[in-house]
Amino acid sequence: MSADASFAGLFEAVPDALLLVDGDGRIVQANAQAERLFGYAPGALLQTEVETLIPAAARERHQRYRENYMARPHVRPMGVSGQSLIGLRPDGTQFPVEIALSPIGGAHGPRYLASVRDISETQRARQALVRARYDALAARIGQLALEAQDESGMVDALPRLLAAALDIPTVAVLFVSGDRQSVEIRAGVGLDDGDADAPALDETALLAAIGSGQTRLAEDFAGAETHEFPLRAAAGSGVLVPLLDRGRPMGALLARAPQPRQFDHDALHLLRSVANLAAAFVQRRRTEEQLAHSQRLDAIGQLTGGIAHDFNNLLTVMSGSLQLLELECGDKPEAGELIASALRSVGRGAELTGKLLAFARRQRLSPRAVDVPALLRDVESMLKRTLGDSVHLHVHCVEPLAAAYADPGQLEAALLNLALNARDAMPRGGEIAIEAAACDASAAGGELAVGDYLRVTVADTGRGMAPETLARAMEPFFTTKEAGRGSGLGLSMVYGFAKQSGGDLRIDSALGYGTRVELFLPAARAPAAAAAPTGGAPEPGRGETVLVVEDDAAVRAIALAFLRASGYRAVAVGSAAEALRYLAGDGEAAAMFSDVMLGEGMNGKELAVAARRLRPRLPVLLTSGYETETANAGEAFELLRKPYRREQVAAAIARAIAARHDGD
């Protein structure tokens, strides 16, 4: 966002005429109040010399003063110039003015902000000095917004600046927690000075006041009308101005004075203007941080998915070789034990790549309508046997609750991951609360597409996370656990599952306050259905020919061995082009078994579609260690995940061939 754009809101928020002048004395920005004050059409002041707004007799003197000021720029409040200032309109009308000046740094070189006020009226003249302080403050805050590197760079300075400008002892910037159950004092003065008579915050009233989204004014704490004001004080007055994020309160600006009726129209206007500017700044910074975080995770996800694909090919070769050895060494128990141990390690490697693919959003999901209350009952039963006596588990579903559209196995794994993470954050015990409720897209802060969702919350009373830990919590392999106790893939897997399912994951945590994880999943359009029964063992092949398409020679050899050991005749090629030449000729093929990733040229899905054009009823089985999608050009093909077992290949080929025969 440019400096001019950043100042646009501030220009319109200040009630006086504002002019931004460059080093040559030309006006580069003017607000609507300035155009009205000097009688110019919108945009007509731009590139006008500032001396044009001064009577001809005073222009030379003003130019000298301007040049001296630009040589030694400083903040100059209104009413201290020591000379009479007169403004000039195009029709020749002259009027007395006071001007505040502030130097503004930026990418375009030095600029100078002039705040101009017509002091024709006596009342405005009496208020000039007060408003000058406010104008200087507004300019200073605008400069802070441009220079701040992060949220705290501006927010931390606001209480001190406002307290000085308003001459009051208490100012605080407050933010509501993600679960809207507590309020954090992000920055403040006058609330923790140790004085027994110091004002005290009422958190319950504070949450209610902020949630209303309305400015609250207590003109006299001794009066009865302050019973809803969230600050308790023996005397004085107070103001609470909400900080709004797209219309939703995210915090508030709180000010308190020891005298009653201290906050007049100008003070209220200043507080509202600063609150609007601060809210816009925080919102923009948080959006930038969310975008950067999302881009970083996406980049890591792409790298992770590619690594998982290559690793799955290696695991397929190792697993296949071990399974073939297992067949050869059936009469050697000692060798069988070694092979079984190696296969278990391959299985753990496959679980690892599965988690990597989940984070990269490349895992294969089988979403359907899921009865969440029933699934939570199963999860609760498993967790009560796992968490231990020192952890108290509470599970609750807010009725009515529609079914979630998700992969039930992955959802169960995600909830178990979150619950076990919560347990590990409470080494001395505590409470874990799992709750499911319906919500809409706005509940996730605008990250979701419009529609109905289910929010499953897992909250603990553990030690919580520091901000720097929270910022990296969803990155793969990042963990705060000691060596050997965690892979750092739990939260990243849940995050990838949520995103791939069309939902989202949000984490709120603070040291000493526990952690709250919210998993958002789209609601299903139809009720949950009972799971279909699984089939029995596959029939062995009867010598049918299967065309194997695999560009990795080692993986190709394993596939050939598996099929031949299962009673099939197998023919192998290394590319899609070779496969199409084979199918275009007289080569026999009862089915085709192809990898999705085939190097240069067609991929496996495109090959399957092209093969069906040559042989319309050819059964096709795809395999991959990476891809999630099997649909292409309106046709769907079964996908077998690498690394696969011999029995899985045989069963899938048998299903494909049987399905063709059933259609005859």
Side-chain angles (χ1 to χ4, degrees):
M1 184 177 288
S2 68
D4 290 345
S6 297
F7 269 92
L10 179 61
F11 270 34
E12 298 305 326
V14 175
D16 295 309
L18 294 181
L19 301 172
L20 192 63
V21 180
D22 64 16
D24 296 325
R26 292 187 177 276
I27 299 170
V28 296
Q29 195 168 351
N31 65 357
Q33 292 92 324
E35 292 164 346
R36 287 193 292 269
L37 177 63
F38 288 95
Y40 282 78
L45 281 173
L46 297 182
Q47 296 305 314
T48 300
E49 291 186 359
V50 70
E51 275 77 27
T52 305
L53 307 180
I54 297 171
R59 288 175 184 170
E60 184 178 349
R61 180 182 60 184
H62 183 274
Q63 183 175 356
R64 288 196 303 271
Y65 178 86
R66 173 174 60 78
E67 292 171 351
N68 290 334
Y69 175 84
M70 290 179 176
R72 293 179 294 277
H74 57 280
V75 175
R76 196 205 76 184
M78 288 188 178
V80 297
S81 64
Q83 57 182 303
S84 175
L85 299 175
I86 302 296
L88 176 68
R89 297 189 178 100
D91 62 0
T93 303
Q94 298 184 14
F95 55 99
V97 298
E98 285 189 343
I99 300 176
L101 298 174
S102 297
I104 304 292
H108 300 287
R111 301 273 176 96
Y112 307 91
L113 181 68
S115 179
V116 185
R117 184 174 301 151
D118 183 350
I119 56 172
S120 302
E121 301 176 13
T122 304
Q123 183 179 8
R124 287 177 62 86
R126 286 199 301 266
Q127 295 174 337
L129 290 177
V130 174
R131 288 189 173 179
R133 292 202 308 271
Y134 298 171
D135 292 340
L137 174 63
R140 174 61 179 152
I141 291 173
Q143 186 172 2
L144 278 175
L146 290 175
E147 296 174 349
Q149 298 299 313
D150 53 32
E151 188 175 306
S152 62
M154 176 187 176
V155 172
D156 291 353
L158 289 182
R160 176 179 50 81
L161 293 173
L162 283 170
L166 295 169
D167 194 21
I168 57 177
T170 305
V171 179
V173 180
L174 315 167
F175 284 99
V176 179
S177 65
D179 60 4
R180 312 195 76 77
Q181 299 299 311
S182 61
V183 177
E184 174 193 0
I185 301 175
R186 181 66 58 84
V189 293
L191 285 176
D192 55 355
D193 54 11
D195 186 352
D197 296 327
L201 286 172
D202 183 335
E203 189 167 50
T204 301
L206 185 58
L207 283 167
I210 294 175
S212 71
Q214 303 295 320
T215 298
R216 297 288 181 92
L217 173 64
E219 293 190 319
D220 188 353
F221 284 126
E225 80 282 357
T226 64
H227 65 281
E228 292 185 352
F229 197 81
L231 191 69
R232 298 289 176 255
S237 52
V239 179
L240 182 80
V241 184
L243 304 176
L244 301 178
D245 180 4
R246 303 177 185 91
R248 187 174 187 235
M250 62 177 172
L253 184 62
L254 177 70
R256 177 251 177 188
Q259 301 84 17
R261 300 174 184 83
Q262 180 75 9
F263 299 96
D264 58 13
H265 176 271
D266 289 337
L268 287 173
H269 186 83
L270 173 67
L271 289 169
R272 289 192 182 103
S273 299
V274 171
N276 290 338
L277 180 62
F281 173 80
V282 170
Q283 177 187 337
R284 188 178 76 243
R285 285 294 184 186
R286 289 182 177 179
T287 301
E288 290 171 350
E289 290 171 0
Q290 289 171 358
L291 177 61
H293 184 60
S294 177
Q295 290 173 335
R296 183 169 66 253
L297 290 179
D298 188 57
I300 295 173
Q302 292 184 35
L303 175 63
T304 300
I307 292 172
H309 167 255
D310 292 340
F311 192 44
N312 271 334
N313 271 345
L314 297 175
L315 289 175
T316 300
V317 176
M318 288 189 285
S319 174
S321 299
L322 288 167
Q323 291 175 66
L324 294 172
L325 279 175
E326 194 174 34
L327 292 175
E328 296 291 332
C329 301
D331 57 345
K332 299 177 181 178
E334 292 182 359
E337 291 177 6
L338 291 173
I339 292 170
S341 176
L343 282 172
R344 285 193 294 272
S345 295
V346 170
R348 286 194 292 272
E351 290 176 4
L352 175 63
T353 57
K355 291 178 180 179
L356 291 173
L357 289 167
F359 170 73
R361 306 176 213 175
R362 299 292 188 270
Q363 65 178 338
R364 187 188 182 196
L365 297 181
S366 300
R368 59 179 175 86
V370 180
D371 183 346
V372 173
L375 185 141
L376 287 182
R377 286 193 293 270
D378 292 340
V379 169
E380 181 180 16
S381 177
M382 284 187 285
L383 287 175
K384 283 186 174 179
R385 297 191 298 267
T386 306
L387 295 178
D389 295 336
S390 63
V391 176
H392 301 284
L393 177 66
H394 308 280
V395 178
H396 177 62
C397 291
V398 179
E399 301 291 348
L401 197 62
Y405 188 70
D407 184 311
Q410 292 294 332
L411 174 55
E412 182 179 280
L415 294 176
L416 290 174
N417 255 306
L418 295 177
L420 294 177
N421 272 352
R423 177 203 62 186
D424 293 343
M426 302 184 295
R428 298 183 179 179
E431 295 186 358
I432 299 176
I434 302 178
E435 180 181 284
C439 67
D440 57 21
S442 63
E447 296 295 320
L448 298 174
V450 176
D452 295 324
Y453 292 84
L454 272 77
R455 174 175 55 197
V456 183
T457 304
V458 180
D460 65 61
T461 58
R463 54 197 170 209
M465 289 183 273
E468 57 271 18
T469 302
L470 181 60
R472 300 187 60 194
M474 289 183 285
E475 293 182 8
F477 301 113
F478 176 79
T479 180
T480 57
K481 299 175 183 177
E482 58 267 26
R485 287 208 59 199
S487 65
L489 288 171
L491 278 175
S492 62
M493 183 272 289
V494 180
Y495 169 79
F497 162 68
K499 287 291 190 180
Q500 191 178 345
S501 300
D504 200 6
L505 189 74
R506 188 170 67 187
I507 306 176
D508 288 308
S509 185
L511 284 175
Y513 290 93
T515 298
R516 177 185 176 89
V517 182
E518 292 178 322
L519 173 62
F520 296 88
L521 295 170
R525 297 181 181 179
T534 57
E539 292 290 333
R542 299 176 182 176
E544 299 97 326
T545 300
V546 178
L547 175 62
V548 176
V549 190
E550 170 63 66
D551 63 332
D552 188 304
V555 178
R556 188 165 63 242
I558 292 297
L560 287 172
F562 277 5
L563 289 167
R564 289 167 181 166
S566 300
Y568 295 98
R569 176 177 175 268
V571 177
V573 295
S575 68
E578 291 179 74
L580 291 177
R581 283 196 295 270
Y582 179 89
L583 294 172
D586 298 329
E588 184 181 350
M592 184 174 73
F593 179 40
S594 174
D595 191 9
V596 172
M597 306 296 286
L598 292 174
E600 295 182 0
M602 287 184 177
N603 61 36
K605 291 181 288 185
E606 294 166 340
L607 169 61
V609 174
R612 285 276 178 88
R613 294 194 190 103
L614 293 172
R615 301 193 183 189
R617 302 190 60 193
L618 177 68
V620 175
L621 173 65
L622 298 178
T623 183
S624 177
Y626 182 74
E627 290 285 316
T628 61
E629 299 296 331
T630 61
N632 192 321
E635 298 195 57
F637 308 98
E638 184 176 351
L639 180 72
L640 186 62
R641 173 66 53 200
K642 291 179 180 178
Y644 42 70
R645 291 192 61 82
R646 181 176 61 86
E647 298 84 356
Q648 292 175 307
V649 176
I653 290 293
R655 281 195 302 272
I657 294 175
R660 175 184 178 180
H661 290 163
D662 291 343
D664 288 340

mmCIF file of all heavy atoms in Angstrom, residues 243-250 279-280 282-288 290 442 444-447:
data_model
loop_
_atom_site.group_PDB
_atom_site.id
_atom_site.type_symbol
_atom_site.label_atom_id
_atom_site.label_comp_id
_atom_site.label_asym_id
_atom_site.label_seq_id
_atom_site.Cartn_x
_atom_site.Cartn_y
_atom_site.Cartn_z
ATOM 1 N N LEU A 243 -12.338 -1.503 18.286
ATOM 2 C CA LEU A 243 -11.481 -1.702 17.117
ATOM 3 C C LEU A 243 -12.165 -2.758 16.258
ATOM 4 O O LEU A 243 -12.344 -3.897 16.694
ATOM 5 C CB LEU A 243 -10.093 -2.186 17.536
ATOM 6 C CG LEU A 243 -9.319 -1.312 18.527
ATOM 7 C CD1 LEU A 243 -8.007 -1.985 18.910
ATOM 8 C CD2 LEU A 243 -9.044 0.058 17.945
ATOM 9 N N LEU A 244 -12.563 -2.382 15.064
ATOM 10 C CA LEU A 244 -13.378 -3.253 14.221
ATOM 11 C C LEU A 244 -12.557 -3.864 13.096
ATOM 12 O O LEU A 244 -11.777 -3.170 12.431
ATOM 13 C CB LEU A 244 -14.562 -2.474 13.640
ATOM 14 C CG LEU A 244 -15.523 -1.843 14.663
ATOM 15 C CD1 LEU A 244 -16.619 -1.056 13.943
ATOM 16 C CD2 LEU A 244 -16.141 -2.913 15.549
ATOM 17 N N ASP A 245 -12.762 -5.159 12.887
ATOM 18 C CA ASP A 245 -12.149 -5.893 11.779
ATOM 19 C C ASP A 245 -13.276 -6.398 10.889
ATOM 20 O O ASP A 245 -13.939 -7.369 11.215
ATOM 21 C CB ASP A 245 -11.328 -7.062 12.326
ATOM 22 C CG ASP A 245 -10.663 -7.881 11.223
ATOM 23 O OD1 ASP A 245 -10.790 -7.484 10.043
ATOM 24 O OD2 ASP A 245 -10.038 -8.903 11.531
ATOM 25 N N ARG A 246 -13.517 -5.711 9.761
ATOM 26 C CA ARG A 246 -14.615 -6.030 8.848
ATOM 27 C C ARG A 246 -15.953 -6.056 9.585
ATOM 28 O O ARG A 246 -16.789 -6.937 9.377
ATOM 29 C CB ARG A 246 -14.365 -7.368 8.152
ATOM 30 C CG ARG A 246 -13.053 -7.437 7.375
ATOM 31 C CD ARG A 246 -12.855 -8.833 6.781
ATOM 32 N NE ARG A 246 -11.563 -8.968 6.123
ATOM 33 C CZ ARG A 246 -10.452 -9.390 6.737
ATOM 34 N NH1 ARG A 246 -10.500 -9.711 8.012
ATOM 35 N NH2 ARG A 246 -9.323 -9.486 6.082
ATOM 36 N N GLY A 247 -16.134 -5.084 10.466
ATOM 37 C CA GLY A 247 -17.385 -4.976 11.202
ATOM 38 C C GLY A 247 -17.445 -5.818 12.456
ATOM 39 O O GLY A 247 -18.392 -5.692 13.246
ATOM 40 N N ARG A 248 -16.452 -6.673 12.681
ATOM 41 C CA ARG A 248 -16.436 -7.561 13.861
ATOM 42 C C ARG A 248 -15.442 -7.010 14.875
ATOM 43 O O ARG A 248 -14.275 -6.805 14.551
ATOM 44 C CB ARG A 248 -16.038 -8.972 13.438
ATOM 45 C CG ARG A 248 -16.143 -10.022 14.531
ATOM 46 C CD ARG A 248 -15.872 -11.389 13.929
ATOM 47 N NE ARG A 248 -16.106 -12.460 14.863
ATOM 48 C CZ ARG A 248 -15.212 -13.396 15.179
ATOM 49 N NH1 ARG A 248 -14.021 -13.361 14.625
ATOM 50 N NH2 ARG A 248 -15.497 -14.364 16.019
ATOM 51 N N PRO A 249 -15.876 -6.751 16.129
ATOM 52 C CA PRO A 249 -14.951 -6.188 17.120
ATOM 53 C C PRO A 249 -13.796 -7.139 17.418
ATOM 54 O O PRO A 249 -14.005 -8.316 17.694
ATOM 55 C CB PRO A 249 -15.835 -6.000 18.362
ATOM 56 C CG PRO A 249 -17.242 -6.012 17.861
ATOM 57 C CD PRO A 249 -17.244 -6.911 16.670
ATOM 58 N N MET A 250 -12.561 -6.629 17.318
ATOM 59 C CA MET A 250 -11.396 -7.436 17.668
ATOM 60 C C MET A 250 -10.701 -6.910 18.912
ATOM 61 O O MET A 250 -9.767 -7.539 19.431
ATOM 62 C CB MET A 250 -10.398 -7.460 16.507
ATOM 63 C CG MET A 250 -9.824 -6.120 16.128
ATOM 64 S SD MET A 250 -8.584 -6.314 14.799
ATOM 65 C CE MET A 250 -8.259 -4.585 14.388
ATOM 66 N N ALA A 279 -7.115 0.020 13.962
ATOM 67 C CA ALA A 279 -7.787 -1.208 13.532
ATOM 68 C C ALA A 279 -7.433 -1.541 12.086
ATOM 69 O O ALA A 279 -7.169 -2.705 11.749
ATOM 70 C CB ALA A 279 -9.298 -1.061 13.688
ATOM 71 N N ALA A 280 -7.430 -0.519 11.224
ATOM 72 C CA ALA A 280 -7.079 -0.751 9.818
ATOM 73 C C ALA A 280 -5.635 -1.231 9.691
ATOM 74 O O ALA A 280 -5.326 -2.123 8.893
ATOM 75 C CB ALA A 280 -7.290 0.530 9.010
ATOM 76 N N VAL A 282 -3.792 -2.839 12.043
ATOM 77 C CA VAL A 282 -3.671 -4.199 12.577
ATOM 78 C C VAL A 282 -4.276 -5.207 11.604
ATOM 79 O O VAL A 282 -3.710 -6.274 11.346
ATOM 80 C CB VAL A 282 -4.349 -4.297 13.961
ATOM 81 C CG1 VAL A 282 -4.441 -5.746 14.419
ATOM 82 C CG2 VAL A 282 -3.582 -3.471 14.980
ATOM 83 N N GLN A 283 -5.445 -4.858 11.045
ATOM 84 C CA GLN A 283 -6.098 -5.755 10.088
ATOM 85 C C GLN A 283 -5.198 -5.996 8.880
ATOM 86 O O GLN A 283 -5.043 -7.135 8.421
ATOM 87 C CB GLN A 283 -7.420 -5.154 9.642
ATOM 88 C CG GLN A 283 -8.153 -5.967 8.588
ATOM 89 C CD GLN A 283 -9.380 -5.240 8.064
ATOM 90 O OE1 GLN A 283 -9.939 -4.377 8.721
ATOM 91 N NE2 GLN A 283 -9.794 -5.585 6.874
ATOM 92 N N ARG A 284 -4.600 -4.927 8.358
ATOM 93 C CA ARG A 284 -3.734 -5.074 7.185
ATOM 94 C C ARG A 284 -2.499 -5.906 7.519
ATOM 95 O O ARG A 284 -2.106 -6.788 6.753
ATOM 96 C CB ARG A 284 -3.301 -3.701 6.668
ATOM 97 C CG ARG A 284 -2.548 -3.778 5.340
ATOM 98 C CD ARG A 284 -2.159 -2.418 4.819
ATOM 99 N NE ARG A 284 -1.031 -1.869 5.542
ATOM 100 C CZ ARG A 284 -1.075 -0.755 6.268
ATOM 101 N NH1 ARG A 284 -2.203 -0.079 6.367
ATOM 102 N NH2 ARG A 284 -0.012 -0.311 6.898
ATOM 103 N N ARG A 285 -1.888 -5.645 8.679
ATOM 104 C CA ARG A 285 -0.705 -6.403 9.075
ATOM 105 C C ARG A 285 -1.034 -7.886 9.255
ATOM 106 O O ARG A 285 -0.271 -8.766 8.845
ATOM 107 C CB ARG A 285 -0.130 -5.830 10.379
ATOM 108 C CG ARG A 285 0.606 -4.514 10.192
ATOM 109 C CD ARG A 285 1.848 -4.691 9.361
ATOM 110 N NE ARG A 285 2.602 -3.451 9.255
ATOM 111 C CZ ARG A 285 3.670 -3.275 8.494
ATOM 112 N NH1 ARG A 285 4.068 -4.283 7.746
ATOM 113 N NH2 ARG A 285 4.299 -2.135 8.447
ATOM 114 N N ARG A 286 -2.152 -8.168 9.896
ATOM 115 C CA ARG A 286 -2.518 -9.568 10.122
ATOM 116 C C ARG A 286 -2.825 -10.264 8.800
ATOM 117 O O ARG A 286 -2.489 -11.440 8.620
ATOM 118 C CB ARG A 286 -3.723 -9.646 11.068
ATOM 119 C CG ARG A 286 -3.367 -9.255 12.499
ATOM 120 C CD ARG A 286 -4.551 -9.384 13.436
ATOM 121 N NE ARG A 286 -4.155 -9.064 14.800
ATOM 122 C CZ ARG A 286 -4.992 -9.075 15.836
ATOM 123 N NH1 ARG A 286 -6.269 -9.398 15.661
ATOM 124 N NH2 ARG A 286 -4.558 -8.777 17.048
ATOM 125 N N THR A 287 -3.467 -9.537 7.884
ATOM 126 C CA THR A 287 -3.743 -10.122 6.570
ATOM 127 C C THR A 287 -2.443 -10.422 5.834
ATOM 128 O O THR A 287 -2.295 -11.482 5.203
ATOM 129 C CB THR A 287 -4.616 -9.168 5.738
ATOM 130 O OG1 THR A 287 -5.851 -8.932 6.431
ATOM 131 C CG2 THR A 287 -4.918 -9.756 4.371
ATOM 132 N N GLU A 288 -1.482 -9.488 5.922
ATOM 133 C CA GLU A 288 -0.190 -9.711 5.280
ATOM 134 C C GLU A 288 0.526 -10.912 5.902
ATOM 135 O O GLU A 288 1.127 -11.727 5.197
ATOM 136 C CB GLU A 288 0.681 -8.449 5.421
ATOM 137 C CG GLU A 288 0.196 -7.265 4.593
ATOM 138 C CD GLU A 288 0.944 -5.985 4.921
ATOM 139 O OE1 GLU A 288 1.705 -5.991 5.921
ATOM 140 O OE2 GLU A 288 0.765 -4.988 4.210
ATOM 141 N N GLN A 290 -0.910 -13.476 7.468
ATOM 142 C CA GLN A 290 -1.622 -14.689 7.080
ATOM 143 C C GLN A 290 -1.265 -15.102 5.657
ATOM 144 O O GLN A 290 -1.068 -16.288 5.368
ATOM 145 C CB GLN A 290 -3.129 -14.475 7.202
ATOM 146 C CG GLN A 290 -3.619 -14.388 8.634
ATOM 147 C CD GLN A 290 -5.075 -13.957 8.717
ATOM 148 O OE1 GLN A 290 -5.710 -13.681 7.701
ATOM 149 N NE2 GLN A 290 -5.598 -13.881 9.925
ATOM 150 N N SER A 442 -18.213 -17.189 8.338
ATOM 151 C CA SER A 442 -17.669 -16.038 9.055
ATOM 152 C C SER A 442 -16.982 -16.438 10.351
ATOM 153 O O SER A 442 -16.142 -15.709 10.863
ATOM 154 C CB SER A 442 -18.785 -15.037 9.359
ATOM 155 O OG SER A 442 -19.762 -15.619 10.216
ATOM 156 N N ALA A 444 -14.743 -18.546 10.839
ATOM 157 C CA ALA A 444 -13.309 -18.793 10.633
ATOM 158 C C ALA A 444 -12.568 -17.536 10.213
ATOM 159 O O ALA A 444 -11.421 -17.604 9.778
ATOM 160 C CB ALA A 444 -13.107 -19.887 9.591
ATOM 161 N N GLY A 445 -13.201 -16.382 10.317
ATOM 162 C CA GLY A 445 -12.514 -15.140 10.012
ATOM 163 C C GLY A 445 -12.371 -14.841 8.543
ATOM 164 O O GLY A 445 -11.418 -14.214 8.126
ATOM 165 N N GLY A 446 -13.302 -15.296 7.723
ATOM 166 C CA GLY A 446 -13.288 -14.960 6.307
ATOM 167 C C GLY A 446 -12.392 -15.834 5.456
ATOM 168 O O GLY A 446 -12.194 -15.557 4.282
ATOM 169 N N GLU A 447 -11.844 -16.932 6.008
ATOM 170 C CA GLU A 447 -10.960 -17.798 5.245
ATOM 171 C C GLU A 447 -11.713 -18.836 4.415
ATOM 172 O O GLU A 447 -11.141 -19.469 3.537
ATOM 173 C CB GLU A 447 -9.995 -18.520 6.193
ATOM 174 C CG GLU A 447 -9.046 -17.589 6.929
ATOM 175 C CD GLU A 447 -8.081 -16.881 6.000
ATOM 176 O OE1 GLU A 447 -7.587 -17.522 5.056
ATOM 177 O OE2 GLU A 447 -7.830 -15.689 6.202
#
